[in-house]
Amino acid sequence: KLVSNQLCYNPNVSLTERPVAALTVACLTNTMNNYSITSDRNRHSGPALGLPNGGELTGDNAIARYFARSACSNHALLGGGDIDQMALVDSWVDYAQTLTKFQ
């Protein structure tokens, strides 16, 4: 079980299965020091983040959005407080993720 703010991934998986977007967002929002990174060669469900409530969040994009939303109180990085703008940003993030599959 992951502890709060612990990011874990399997270092033996391909680059497309690593938390590249999540780590990028953490760097861009200057919050990398808030999280610890660990490797687990037995993890096969993709990257995961331990949440403060004891839960676990999985998936690079989901973790990236979590990092961005927790770093910005007004969610400016994700389109502001307007739900339509936030959804538009989410759609671009999803689109960007599909581009890496063609490499």
Side-chain angles (χ1 to χ4, degrees), residues 12-85:
N12 295 327
V13 297
S14 69
L15 287 177
T16 58
E17 296 180 44
R18 295 184 188 187
V20 175
L23 293 173
T24 301
V25 169
C27 289
L28 289 173
T29 57
N30 200 28
T31 58
M32 196 65 233
N33 290 336
N34 298 346
Y35 306 99
S36 65
I37 303 172
T38 60
S39 63
D40 181 355
R41 299 185 194 302
N42 296 319
R43 177 169 286 283
H44 299 289
S45 60
L49 175 71
L51 299 176
N53 68 2
E56 190 175 288
L57 184 62
T58 59
D60 187 25
N61 286 339
I63 296 169
R65 288 181 181 113
Y66 177 84
F67 285 172
R69 289 185 176 124
S70 60
C72 303
S73 60
N74 65 356
H75 304 299
L77 185 63
L78 293 173
D82 182 326
I83 194 164
D84 294 333
Q85 289 297 314

Side-chain angles (χ1 to χ4, degrees), residues 85-97:
Q85 289 297 314
M86 290 171 70
L88 182 61
V89 171
D90 283 348
S91 71
W92 279 106
V93 170
D94 288 344
Y95 172 71
Q97 187 67 20

